[in-house]
PDB file of all heavy atoms in Angstrom:
ATOM      1  N   SER X   1     164.989  96.580  60.883  1.00 97.00           N
ATOM      2  CA  SER X   1     165.668  97.775  61.253  1.00 97.00           C
ATOM      3  C   SER X   1     166.598  97.523  62.463  1.00 97.00           C
ATOM      4  O   SER X   1     167.825  98.008  62.493  1.00 97.00           O
ATOM      5  CB  SER X   1     164.717  98.937  61.639  1.00 97.00           C
ATOM      6  OG  SER X   1     164.068  98.607  62.939  1.00 97.00           O
ATOM      7  N   GLU X   2     166.166  96.647  63.417  1.00 97.00           N
ATOM      8  CA  GLU X   2     167.063  96.298  64.490  1.00 97.00           C
ATOM      9  C   GLU X   2     168.250  95.403  64.063  1.00 97.00           C
ATOM     10  O   GLU X   2     169.337  95.543  64.591  1.00 97.00           O
ATOM     11  CB  GLU X   2     166.180  95.531  65.588  1.00 97.00           C
ATOM     12  CG  GLU X   2     165.157  96.409  66.275  1.00 97.00           C
ATOM     13  CD  GLU X   2     165.873  97.440  67.113  1.00 97.00           C
ATOM     14  OE1 GLU X   2     166.505  97.080  68.188  1.00 97.00           O
ATOM     15  OE2 GLU X   2     165.739  98.695  66.732  1.00 97.00           O
ATOM     16  N   VAL X   3     167.935  94.448  63.090  1.00 98.00           N
ATOM     17  CA  VAL X   3     169.004  93.610  62.661  1.00 98.00           C
ATOM     18  C   VAL X   3     170.079  94.429  61.956  1.00 98.00           C
ATOM     19  O   VAL X   3     171.310  94.273  62.139  1.00 98.00           O
ATOM     20  CB  VAL X   3     168.518  92.589  61.723  1.00 98.00           C
ATOM     21  CG1 VAL X   3     169.589  91.682  60.972  1.00 98.00           C
ATOM     22  CG2 VAL X   3     167.560  91.564  62.418  1.00 98.00           C
ATOM     23  N   ILE X   4     169.670  95.385  61.138  1.00 98.00           N
ATOM     24  CA  ILE X   4     170.602  96.260  60.334  1.00 98.00           C
ATOM     25  C   ILE X   4     171.382  97.172  61.220  1.00 98.00           C
ATOM     26  O   ILE X   4     172.598  97.308  61.047  1.00 98.00           O
ATOM     27  CB  ILE X   4     169.748  97.097  59.391  1.00 98.00           C
ATOM     28  CG1 ILE X   4     169.249  96.179  58.206  1.00 98.00           C
ATOM     29  CG2 ILE X   4     170.644  98.217  58.817  1.00 98.00           C
ATOM     30  CD1 ILE X   4     168.376  96.884  57.159  1.00 98.00           C
ATOM     31  N   LYS X   5     170.807  97.738  62.321  1.00 97.00           N
ATOM     32  CA  LYS X   5     171.585  98.413  63.323  1.00 97.00           C
ATOM     33  C   LYS X   5     172.709  97.606  63.901  1.00 97.00           C
ATOM     34  O   LYS X   5     173.838  98.105  64.073  1.00 97.00           O
ATOM     35  CB  LYS X   5     170.685  98.947  64.445  1.00 97.00           C
ATOM     36  CG  LYS X   5     169.693 100.080  64.070  1.00 97.00           C
ATOM     37  CD  LYS X   5     168.707 100.365  65.251  1.00 97.00           C
ATOM     38  CE  LYS X   5     167.701 101.374  64.823  1.00 97.00           C
ATOM     39  NZ  LYS X   5     166.752 101.648  65.886  1.00 97.00           N
ATOM     40  N   LYS X   6     172.396  96.361  64.158  1.00 97.00           N
ATOM     41  CA  LYS X   6     173.477  95.510  64.780  1.00 97.00           C
ATOM     42  C   LYS X   6     174.528  95.006  63.776  1.00 97.00           C
ATOM     43  O   LYS X   6     175.625  94.887  64.124  1.00 97.00           O
ATOM     44  CB  LYS X   6     172.769  94.288  65.488  1.00 97.00           C
ATOM     45  CG  LYS X   6     171.849  94.703  66.634  1.00 97.00           C
ATOM     46  CD  LYS X   6     171.228  93.507  67.393  1.00 97.00           C
ATOM     47  CE  LYS X   6     170.309  93.985  68.458  1.00 97.00           C
ATOM     48  NZ  LYS X   6     171.035  94.857  69.469  1.00 97.00           N
ATOM     49  N   MET X   7     174.053  94.974  62.539  1.00 98.00           N
ATOM     50  CA  MET X   7     175.017  94.628  61.491  1.00 98.00           C
ATOM     51  C   MET X   7     175.988  95.827  61.320  1.00 98.00           C
ATOM     52  O   MET X   7     177.248  95.613  61.171  1.00 98.00           O
ATOM     53  CB  MET X   7     174.290  94.317  60.239  1.00 98.00           C
ATOM     54  CG  MET X   7     173.577  92.996  60.232  1.00 98.00           C
ATOM     55  SD  MET X   7     172.607  92.676  58.663  1.00 98.00           S
ATOM     56  CE  MET X   7     173.892  92.498  57.447  1.00 98.00           C
ATOM     57  N   LEU X   8     175.454  96.977  61.243  1.00 98.00           N
ATOM     58  CA  LEU X   8     176.301  98.229  60.958  1.00 98.00           C
ATOM     59  C   LEU X   8     177.245  98.376  62.196  1.00 98.00           C
ATOM     60  O   LEU X   8     178.391  98.812  62.038  1.00 98.00           O
ATOM     61  CB  LEU X   8     175.417  99.459  60.814  1.00 98.00           C
ATOM     62  CG  LEU X   8     174.602  99.522  59.426  1.00 98.00           C
ATOM     63  CD1 LEU X   8     173.651 100.633  59.439  1.00 98.00           C
ATOM     64  CD2 LEU X   8     175.442  99.400  58.295  1.00 98.00           C
ATOM     65  N   ALA X   9     176.679  98.127  63.400  1.00 97.00           N
ATOM     66  CA  ALA X   9     177.611  98.268  64.534  1.00 97.00           C
ATOM     67  C   ALA X   9     178.810  97.313  64.490  1.00 97.00           C
ATOM     68  O   ALA X   9     179.837  97.639  65.100  1.00 97.00           O
ATOM     69  CB  ALA X   9     176.715  97.960  65.839  1.00 97.00           C
ATOM     70  N   ARG X  10     178.656  96.238  63.787  1.00 97.00           N
ATOM     71  CA  ARG X  10     179.787  95.287  63.605  1.00 97.00           C
ATOM     72  C   ARG X  10     180.519  95.527  62.341  1.00 97.00           C
ATOM     73  O   ARG X  10     181.248  94.669  61.920  1.00 97.00           O
ATOM     74  CB  ARG X  10     179.301  93.877  63.815  1.00 97.00           C
ATOM     75  CG  ARG X  10     178.736  93.542  65.160  1.00 97.00           C
ATOM     76  CD  ARG X  10     178.441  92.129  65.409  1.00 97.00           C
ATOM     77  NE  ARG X  10     178.047  91.980  66.881  1.00 97.00           N
ATOM     78  CZ  ARG X  10     177.709  90.875  67.342  1.00 97.00           C
ATOM     79  NH1 ARG X  10     177.882  89.727  66.628  1.00 97.00           N
ATOM     80  NH2 ARG X  10     177.405  90.774  68.662  1.00 97.00           N
ATOM     81  N   LYS X  11     180.218  96.599  61.671  1.00 97.00           N
ATOM     82  CA  LYS X  11     180.834  97.026  60.270  1.00 97.00           C
ATOM     83  C   LYS X  11     180.557  96.001  59.238  1.00 97.00           C
ATOM     84  O   LYS X  11     181.368  95.700  58.444  1.00 97.00           O
ATOM     85  CB  LYS X  11     182.267  97.319  60.591  1.00 97.00           C
ATOM     86  CG  LYS X  11     182.541  98.378  61.598  1.00 97.00           C
ATOM     87  CD  LYS X  11     183.986  98.860  61.572  1.00 97.00           C
ATOM     88  CE  LYS X  11     184.295  99.782  62.651  1.00 97.00           C
ATOM     89  NZ  LYS X  11     183.432 100.991  62.671  1.00 97.00           N
ATOM     90  N   ILE X  12     179.417  95.431  59.278  1.00 98.00           N
ATOM     91  CA  ILE X  12     178.930  94.448  58.260  1.00 98.00           C
ATOM     92  C   ILE X  12     178.074  95.242  57.227  1.00 98.00           C
ATOM     93  O   ILE X  12     177.069  95.879  57.673  1.00 98.00           O
ATOM     94  CB  ILE X  12     178.035  93.328  58.775  1.00 98.00           C
ATOM     95  CG1 ILE X  12     178.843  92.571  59.825  1.00 98.00           C
ATOM     96  CG2 ILE X  12     177.616  92.460  57.695  1.00 98.00           C
ATOM     97  CD1 ILE X  12     178.032  91.507  60.550  1.00 98.00           C
ATOM     98  N   HIS X  13     178.554  95.327  55.962  1.00 96.00           N
ATOM     99  CA  HIS X  13     177.773  96.056  54.985  1.00 96.00           C
ATOM    100  C   HIS X  13     176.462  95.347  54.675  1.00 96.00           C
ATOM    101  O   HIS X  13     176.478  94.132  54.356  1.00 96.00           O
ATOM    102  CB  HIS X  13     178.710  96.187  53.690  1.00 96.00           C
ATOM    103  CG  HIS X  13     179.839  97.063  53.860  1.00 96.00           C
ATOM    104  ND1 HIS X  13     179.758  98.430  53.946  1.00 96.00           N
ATOM    105  CD2 HIS X  13     181.146  96.735  53.875  1.00 96.00           C
ATOM    106  CE1 HIS X  13     180.935  99.009  54.086  1.00 96.00           C
ATOM    107  NE2 HIS X  13     181.878  97.980  54.073  1.00 96.00           N
ATOM    108  N   VAL X  14     175.422  96.113  54.704  1.00 97.00           N
ATOM    109  CA  VAL X  14     174.103  95.428  54.419  1.00 97.00           C
ATOM    110  C   VAL X  14     173.921  95.028  52.986  1.00 97.00           C
ATOM    111  O   VAL X  14     173.436  94.027  52.662  1.00 97.00           O
ATOM    112  CB  VAL X  14     172.981  96.348  55.008  1.00 97.00           C
ATOM    113  CG1 VAL X  14     171.582  95.740  54.694  1.00 97.00           C
ATOM    114  CG2 VAL X  14     173.153  96.651  56.440  1.00 97.00           C
ATOM    115  N   SER X  15     174.273  96.076  52.154  1.00 97.00           N
ATOM    116  CA  SER X  15     174.195  95.810  50.684  1.00 97.00           C
ATOM    117  C   SER X  15     175.109  94.733  50.280  1.00 97.00           C
ATOM    118  O   SER X  15     176.349  94.795  50.553  1.00 97.00           O
ATOM    119  CB  SER X  15     174.443  97.069  49.906  1.00 97.00           C
ATOM    120  OG  SER X  15     174.358  96.829  48.478  1.00 97.00           O
ATOM    121  N   GLY X  16     174.647  93.660  49.758  1.00 97.00           N
ATOM    122  CA  GLY X  16     175.405  92.556  49.278  1.00 97.00           C
ATOM    123  C   GLY X  16     175.612  91.448  50.442  1.00 97.00           C
ATOM    124  O   GLY X  16     176.213  90.414  50.172  1.00 97.00           O
ATOM    125  N   ALA X  17     175.093  91.737  51.649  1.00 98.00           N
ATOM    126  CA  ALA X  17     175.215  90.842  52.726  1.00 98.00           C
ATOM    127  C   ALA X  17     174.367  89.496  52.438  1.00 98.00           C
ATOM    128  O   ALA X  17     173.365  89.578  51.815  1.00 98.00           O
ATOM    129  CB  ALA X  17     174.759  91.461  54.071  1.00 98.00           C
ATOM    130  N   GLN X  18     174.832  88.439  52.981  1.00 98.00           N
ATOM    131  CA  GLN X  18     174.114  87.250  52.976  1.00 98.00           C
ATOM    132  C   GLN X  18     173.363  87.014  54.236  1.00 98.00           C
ATOM    133  O   GLN X  18     173.928  86.990  55.332  1.00 98.00           O
ATOM    134  CB  GLN X  18     175.097  86.025  52.781  1.00 98.00           C
ATOM    135  CG  GLN X  18     176.012  86.115  51.578  1.00 98.00           C
ATOM    136  CD  GLN X  18     175.204  86.016  50.270  1.00 98.00           C
ATOM    137  OE1 GLN X  18     174.222  85.346  50.151  1.00 98.00           O
ATOM    138  NE2 GLN X  18     175.568  86.784  49.264  1.00 98.00           N
ATOM    139  N   VAL X  19     172.046  87.038  54.136  1.00 98.00           N
ATOM    140  CA  VAL X  19     171.193  86.947  55.296  1.00 98.00           C
ATOM    141  C   VAL X  19     170.414  85.657  55.299  1.00 98.00           C
ATOM    142  O   VAL X  19     169.739  85.313  54.221  1.00 98.00           O
ATOM    143  CB  VAL X  19     170.285  88.194  55.506  1.00 98.00           C
ATOM    144  CG1 VAL X  19     169.413  87.996  56.672  1.00 98.00           C
ATOM    145  CG2 VAL X  19     171.100  89.437  55.481  1.00 98.00           C
ATOM    146  N   LEU X  20     170.306  84.966  56.332  1.00 98.00           N
ATOM    147  CA  LEU X  20     169.542  83.691  56.484  1.00 98.00           C
ATOM    148  C   LEU X  20     168.379  83.908  57.405  1.00 98.00           C
ATOM    149  O   LEU X  20     168.511  84.410  58.500  1.00 98.00           O
ATOM    150  CB  LEU X  20     170.329  82.547  57.004  1.00 98.00           C
ATOM    151  CG  LEU X  20     169.603  81.211  57.285  1.00 98.00           C
ATOM    152  CD1 LEU X  20     169.025  80.589  56.003  1.00 98.00           C
ATOM    153  CD2 LEU X  20     170.463  80.263  58.052  1.00 98.00           C
ATOM    154  N   ILE X  21     167.146  83.614  56.892  1.00 98.00           N
ATOM    155  CA  ILE X  21     165.953  83.605  57.707  1.00 98.00           C
ATOM    156  C   ILE X  21     165.471  82.292  58.027  1.00 98.00           C
ATOM    157  O   ILE X  21     165.183  81.480  57.102  1.00 98.00           O
ATOM    158  CB  ILE X  21     164.797  84.490  57.090  1.00 98.00           C
ATOM    159  CG1 ILE X  21     165.175  85.957  56.932  1.00 98.00           C
ATOM    160  CG2 ILE X  21     163.512  84.384  57.942  1.00 98.00           C
ATOM    161  CD1 ILE X  21     164.104  86.769  56.263  1.00 98.00           C
ATOM    162  N   LEU X  22     165.373  81.839  59.230  1.00 98.00           N
ATOM    163  CA  LEU X  22     164.959  80.483  59.675  1.00 98.00           C
ATOM    164  C   LEU X  22     163.417  80.452  59.953  1.00 98.00           C
ATOM    165  O   LEU X  22     163.032  81.034  60.917  1.00 98.00           O
ATOM    166  CB  LEU X  22     165.857  79.990  60.899  1.00 98.00           C
ATOM    167  CG  LEU X  22     167.270  79.786  60.588  1.00 98.00           C
ATOM    168  CD1 LEU X  22     167.945  79.481  61.900  1.00 98.00           C
ATOM    169  CD2 LEU X  22     167.491  78.651  59.602  1.00 98.00           C
ATOM    170  N   GLY X  23     162.754  79.854  58.965  1.00 97.00           N
ATOM    171  CA  GLY X  23     161.321  79.842  59.199  1.00 97.00           C
ATOM    172  C   GLY X  23     160.544  80.638  58.222  1.00 97.00           C
ATOM    173  O   GLY X  23     161.032  81.833  57.991  1.00 97.00           O
ATOM    174  N   PHE X  24     159.512  80.037  57.583  1.00 97.00           N
ATOM    175  CA  PHE X  24     158.649  80.840  56.695  1.00 97.00           C
ATOM    176  C   PHE X  24     157.206  80.808  56.979  1.00 97.00           C
ATOM    177  O   PHE X  24     156.391  81.611  56.560  1.00 97.00           O
ATOM    178  CB  PHE X  24     158.915  80.455  55.240  1.00 97.00           C
ATOM    179  CG  PHE X  24     158.432  81.387  54.182  1.00 97.00           C
ATOM    180  CD1 PHE X  24     158.904  82.613  54.021  1.00 97.00           C
ATOM    181  CD2 PHE X  24     157.375  80.977  53.407  1.00 97.00           C
ATOM    182  CE1 PHE X  24     158.339  83.552  53.138  1.00 97.00           C
ATOM    183  CE2 PHE X  24     156.804  81.890  52.484  1.00 97.00           C
ATOM    184  CZ  PHE X  24     157.377  83.137  52.298  1.00 97.00           C
ATOM    185  N   THR X  25     156.776  79.805  57.775  1.00 95.00           N
ATOM    186  CA  THR X  25     155.395  79.708  58.120  1.00 95.00           C
ATOM    187  C   THR X  25     154.938  80.748  59.074  1.00 95.00           C
ATOM    188  O   THR X  25     155.805  81.470  59.646  1.00 95.00           O
ATOM    189  CB  THR X  25     155.143  78.276  58.760  1.00 95.00           C
ATOM    190  OG1 THR X  25     155.847  78.191  60.063  1.00 95.00           O
ATOM    191  CG2 THR X  25     155.553  77.159  57.904  1.00 95.00           C
ATOM    192  N   PHE X  26     153.589  80.876  59.269  1.00 93.00           N
ATOM    193  CA  PHE X  26     153.077  81.951  60.147  1.00 93.00           C
ATOM    194  C   PHE X  26     153.093  81.581  61.608  1.00 93.00           C
ATOM    195  O   PHE X  26     152.919  82.454  62.501  1.00 93.00           O
ATOM    196  CB  PHE X  26     151.687  82.366  59.726  1.00 93.00           C
ATOM    197  CG  PHE X  26     150.538  81.526  60.326  1.00 93.00           C
ATOM    198  CD1 PHE X  26     150.073  81.836  61.555  1.00 93.00           C
ATOM    199  CD2 PHE X  26     150.005  80.492  59.620  1.00 93.00           C
ATOM    200  CE1 PHE X  26     149.010  81.090  62.146  1.00 93.00           C
ATOM    201  CE2 PHE X  26     149.022  79.722  60.187  1.00 93.00           C
ATOM    202  CZ  PHE X  26     148.452  80.026  61.383  1.00 93.00           C
ATOM    203  N   LYS X  27     153.327  80.237  61.926  1.00 91.00           N
ATOM    204  CA  LYS X  27     153.501  79.791  63.277  1.00 91.00           C
ATOM    205  C   LYS X  27     154.414  78.566  63.361  1.00 91.00           C
ATOM    206  O   LYS X  27     154.633  77.896  62.353  1.00 91.00           O
ATOM    207  CB  LYS X  27     152.140  79.462  63.896  1.00 91.00           C
ATOM    208  CG  LYS X  27     151.444  78.286  63.144  1.00 91.00           C
ATOM    209  CD  LYS X  27     150.023  78.078  63.689  1.00 91.00           C
ATOM    210  CE  LYS X  27     150.090  77.506  65.038  1.00 91.00           C
ATOM    211  NZ  LYS X  27     148.737  77.085  65.562  1.00 91.00           N
ATOM    212  N   GLU X  28     154.803  78.208  64.542  1.00 93.00           N
ATOM    213  CA  GLU X  28     155.733  77.080  64.777  1.00 93.00           C
ATOM    214  C   GLU X  28     155.166  75.832  64.546  1.00 93.00           C
ATOM    215  O   GLU X  28     153.997  75.528  64.782  1.00 93.00           O
ATOM    216  CB  GLU X  28     156.361  77.183  66.154  1.00 93.00           C
ATOM    217  CG  GLU X  28     155.378  76.951  67.304  1.00 93.00           C
ATOM    218  CD  GLU X  28     154.690  78.206  67.756  1.00 93.00           C
ATOM    219  OE1 GLU X  28     154.852  79.195  67.023  1.00 93.00           O
ATOM    220  OE2 GLU X  28     154.039  78.226  68.757  1.00 93.00           O
ATOM    221  N   ASP X  29     155.977  74.799  64.050  1.00 92.00           N
ATOM    222  CA  ASP X  29     155.633  73.462  63.885  1.00 92.00           C
ATOM    223  C   ASP X  29     154.333  73.198  63.033  1.00 92.00           C
ATOM    224  O   ASP X  29     153.572  72.259  63.353  1.00 92.00           O
ATOM    225  CB  ASP X  29     155.565  72.717  65.264  1.00 92.00           C
ATOM    226  CG  ASP X  29     156.811  72.870  66.076  1.00 92.00           C
ATOM    227  OD1 ASP X  29     157.849  72.800  65.398  1.00 92.00           O
ATOM    228  OD2 ASP X  29     156.737  73.046  67.289  1.00 92.00           O
ATOM    229  N   CYS X  30     154.208  73.945  62.065  1.00 90.00           N
ATOM    230  CA  CYS X  30     153.010  73.956  61.202  1.00 90.00           C
ATOM    231  C   CYS X  30     153.413  74.400  59.780  1.00 90.00           C
ATOM    232  O   CYS X  30     154.199  75.283  59.589  1.00 90.00           O
ATOM    233  CB  CYS X  30     151.866  74.877  61.766  1.00 90.00           C
ATOM    234  SG  CYS X  30     150.521  75.036  60.759  1.00 90.00           S
ATOM    235  N   PRO X  31     152.965  73.604  58.734  1.00 90.00           N
ATOM    236  CA  PRO X  31     153.378  74.004  57.360  1.00 90.00           C
ATOM    237  C   PRO X  31     152.647  75.101  56.748  1.00 90.00           C
ATOM    238  O   PRO X  31     152.971  75.463  55.615  1.00 90.00           O
ATOM    239  CB  PRO X  31     153.136  72.618  56.617  1.00 90.00           C
ATOM    240  CG  PRO X  31     151.936  72.026  57.364  1.00 90.00           C
ATOM    241  CD  PRO X  31     152.167  72.424  58.797  1.00 90.00           C
ATOM    242  N   ASP X  32     151.732  75.629  57.485  1.00 90.00           N
ATOM    243  CA  ASP X  32     150.855  76.773  56.959  1.00 90.00           C
ATOM    244  C   ASP X  32     151.595  78.035  56.806  1.00 90.00           C
ATOM    245  O   ASP X  32     152.076  78.649  57.809  1.00 90.00           O
ATOM    246  CB  ASP X  32     149.639  76.943  57.854  1.00 90.00           C
ATOM    247  CG  ASP X  32     148.527  77.725  57.265  1.00 90.00           C
ATOM    248  OD1 ASP X  32     148.716  78.317  56.186  1.00 90.00           O
ATOM    249  OD2 ASP X  32     147.423  77.760  57.849  1.00 90.00           O
ATOM    250  N   PHE X  33     151.745  78.535  55.573  1.00 92.00           N
ATOM    251  CA  PHE X  33     152.396  79.853  55.335  1.00 92.00           C
ATOM    252  C   PHE X  33     151.438  80.879  54.816  1.00 92.00           C
ATOM    253  O   PHE X  33     151.813  81.915  54.350  1.00 92.00           O
ATOM    254  CB  PHE X  33     153.600  79.701  54.445  1.00 92.00           C
ATOM    255  CG  PHE X  33     153.281  79.030  53.073  1.00 92.00           C
ATOM    256  CD1 PHE X  33     152.749  79.851  52.056  1.00 92.00           C
ATOM    257  CD2 PHE X  33     153.557  77.762  52.906  1.00 92.00           C
ATOM    258  CE1 PHE X  33     152.432  79.244  50.825  1.00 92.00           C
ATOM    259  CE2 PHE X  33     153.270  77.206  51.561  1.00 92.00           C
ATOM    260  CZ  PHE X  33     152.680  77.917  50.650  1.00 92.00           C
ATOM    261  N   ARG X  34     150.095  80.692  54.986  1.00 89.00           N
ATOM    262  CA  ARG X  34     149.157  81.695  54.575  1.00 89.00           C
ATOM    263  C   ARG X  34     149.380  82.974  55.278  1.00 89.00           C
ATOM    264  O   ARG X  34     149.461  83.006  56.492  1.00 89.00           O
ATOM    265  CB  ARG X  34     147.658  81.153  54.718  1.00 89.00           C
ATOM    266  CG  ARG X  34     147.233  80.049  53.781  1.00 89.00           C
ATOM    267  CD  ARG X  34     145.968  79.516  54.252  1.00 89.00           C
ATOM    268  NE  ARG X  34     145.867  78.965  55.461  1.00 89.00           N
ATOM    269  CZ  ARG X  34     144.846  78.527  56.155  1.00 89.00           C
ATOM    270  NH1 ARG X  34     143.549  78.710  55.550  1.00 89.00           N
ATOM    271  NH2 ARG X  34     144.936  77.963  57.284  1.00 89.00           N
ATOM    272  N   ASN X  35     149.432  84.135  54.525  1.00 91.00           N
ATOM    273  CA  ASN X  35     149.613  85.477  55.179  1.00 91.00           C
ATOM    274  C   ASN X  35     150.809  85.520  56.085  1.00 91.00           C
ATOM    275  O   ASN X  35     150.762  86.213  57.125  1.00 91.00           O
ATOM    276  CB  ASN X  35     148.323  85.867  55.911  1.00 91.00           C
ATOM    277  CG  ASN X  35     148.324  87.337  56.274  1.00 91.00           C
ATOM    278  OD1 ASN X  35     148.872  88.173  55.465  1.00 91.00           O
ATOM    279  ND2 ASN X  35     147.776  87.656  57.423  1.00 91.00           N
ATOM    280  N   THR X  36     151.864  84.718  55.742  1.00 95.00           N
ATOM    281  CA  THR X  36     153.066  84.823  56.667  1.00 95.00           C
ATOM    282  C   THR X  36     153.712  86.254  56.557  1.00 95.00           C
ATOM    283  O   THR X  36     153.828  86.833  55.503  1.00 95.00           O
ATOM    284  CB  THR X  36     153.973  83.822  56.227  1.00 95.00           C
ATOM    285  OG1 THR X  36     155.231  83.998  57.060  1.00 95.00           O
ATOM    286  CG2 THR X  36     154.424  83.869  54.716  1.00 95.00           C
ATOM    287  N   ARG X  37     153.976  86.760  57.701  1.00 95.00           N
ATOM    288  CA  ARG X  37     154.656  88.043  57.776  1.00 95.00           C
ATOM    289  C   ARG X  37     156.093  87.967  57.656  1.00 95.00           C
ATOM    290  O   ARG X  37     156.811  89.025  57.625  1.00 95.00           O
ATOM    291  CB  ARG X  37     154.241  88.857  59.049  1.00 95.00           C
ATOM    292  CG  ARG X  37     152.809  89.160  59.220  1.00 95.00           C
ATOM    293  CD  ARG X  37     151.895  89.410  58.033  1.00 95.00           C
ATOM    294  NE  ARG X  37     152.473  90.223  56.943  1.00 95.00           N
ATOM    295  CZ  ARG X  37     152.021  90.104  55.653  1.00 95.00           C
ATOM    296  NH1 ARG X  37     151.081  89.233  55.280  1.00 95.00           N
ATOM    297  NH2 ARG X  37     152.632  90.800  54.733  1.00 95.00           N
ATOM    298  N   VAL X  38     156.713  86.811  57.563  1.00 97.00           N
ATOM    299  CA  VAL X  38     158.055  86.639  57.295  1.00 97.00           C
ATOM    300  C   VAL X  38     158.375  87.286  55.981  1.00 97.00           C
ATOM    301  O   VAL X  38     159.505  87.841  55.788  1.00 97.00           O
ATOM    302  CB  VAL X  38     158.515  85.150  57.332  1.00 97.00           C
ATOM    303  CG1 VAL X  38     160.006  84.858  56.953  1.00 97.00           C
ATOM    304  CG2 VAL X  38     158.281  84.525  58.779  1.00 97.00           C
ATOM    305  N   ILE X  39     157.523  87.168  55.043  1.00 96.00           N
ATOM    306  CA  ILE X  39     157.699  87.800  53.714  1.00 96.00           C
ATOM    307  C   ILE X  39     158.033  89.269  53.861  1.00 96.00           C
ATOM    308  O   ILE X  39     158.773  89.818  52.991  1.00 96.00           O
ATOM    309  CB  ILE X  39     156.493  87.596  52.792  1.00 96.00           C
ATOM    310  CG1 ILE X  39     156.811  87.897  51.347  1.00 96.00           C
ATOM    311  CG2 ILE X  39     155.296  88.286  53.327  1.00 96.00           C
ATOM    312  CD1 ILE X  39     157.918  87.226  50.702  1.00 96.00           C
ATOM    313  N   ASP X  40     157.497  89.946  54.886  1.00 97.00           N
ATOM    314  CA  ASP X  40     157.807  91.400  55.074  1.00 97.00           C
ATOM    315  C   ASP X  40     159.333  91.586  55.378  1.00 97.00           C
ATOM    316  O   ASP X  40     159.867  92.616  54.796  1.00 97.00           O
ATOM    317  CB  ASP X  40     156.948  92.010  56.211  1.00 97.00           C
ATOM    318  CG  ASP X  40     155.486  91.893  55.986  1.00 97.00           C
ATOM    319  OD1 ASP X  40     155.149  91.749  54.825  1.00 97.00           O
ATOM    320  OD2 ASP X  40     154.790  91.937  56.995  1.00 97.00           O
ATOM    321  N   MET X  41     159.920  90.746  56.052  1.00 97.00           N
ATOM    322  CA  MET X  41     161.271  90.810  56.331  1.00 97.00           C
ATOM    323  C   MET X  41     162.137  90.531  55.135  1.00 97.00           C
ATOM    324  O   MET X  41     163.133  91.237  54.890  1.00 97.00           O
ATOM    325  CB  MET X  41     161.677  89.895  57.542  1.00 97.00           C
ATOM    326  CG  MET X  41     161.094  90.154  58.832  1.00 97.00           C
ATOM    327  SD  MET X  41     161.772  89.340  60.242  1.00 97.00           S
ATOM    328  CE  MET X  41     161.461  87.605  59.862  1.00 97.00           C
ATOM    329  N   VAL X  42     161.730  89.561  54.383  1.00 97.00           N
ATOM    330  CA  VAL X  42     162.423  89.224  53.083  1.00 97.00           C
ATOM    331  C   VAL X  42     162.397  90.446  52.092  1.00 97.00           C
ATOM    332  O   VAL X  42     163.456  90.847  51.629  1.00 97.00           O
ATOM    333  CB  VAL X  42     161.842  88.075  52.361  1.00 97.00           C
ATOM    334  CG1 VAL X  42     162.410  87.771  51.054  1.00 97.00           C
ATOM    335  CG2 VAL X  42     161.833  86.755  53.223  1.00 97.00           C
ATOM    336  N   LEU X  43     161.294  91.087  51.988  1.00 97.00           N
ATOM    337  CA  LEU X  43     161.126  92.184  51.055  1.00 97.00           C
ATOM    338  C   LEU X  43     161.933  93.382  51.609  1.00 97.00           C
ATOM    339  O   LEU X  43     162.580  94.154  50.785  1.00 97.00           O
ATOM    340  CB  LEU X  43     159.660  92.581  50.890  1.00 97.00           C
ATOM    341  CG  LEU X  43     158.826  91.521  50.177  1.00 97.00           C
ATOM    342  CD1 LEU X  43     157.293  91.948  50.174  1.00 97.00           C
ATOM    343  CD2 LEU X  43     159.261  91.217  48.794  1.00 97.00           C
ATOM    344  N   GLU X  44     161.963  93.670  52.903  1.00 97.00           N
ATOM    345  CA  GLU X  44     162.596  94.687  53.443  1.00 97.00           C
ATOM    346  C   GLU X  44     164.075  94.548  53.276  1.00 97.00           C
ATOM    347  O   GLU X  44     164.849  95.514  52.905  1.00 97.00           O
ATOM    348  CB  GLU X  44     162.238  94.913  55.001  1.00 97.00           C
ATOM    349  CG  GLU X  44     162.712  96.161  55.640  1.00 97.00           C
ATOM    350  CD  GLU X  44     162.050  97.417  55.176  1.00 97.00           C
ATOM    351  OE1 GLU X  44     161.081  97.357  54.400  1.00 97.00           O
ATOM    352  OE2 GLU X  44     162.432  98.500  55.740  1.00 97.00           O
TER     353      GLU X  44
END
């Protein structure tokens, strides 16, 4: 919701926008992605 607010403030259309998420694991410097909450951002 915060990212979208800032995109709209810069007149960037959210629908069709290209968004990059850096990182998918649940913690830094670890390959473990069990129950990662990054997926919540992807789905939203």
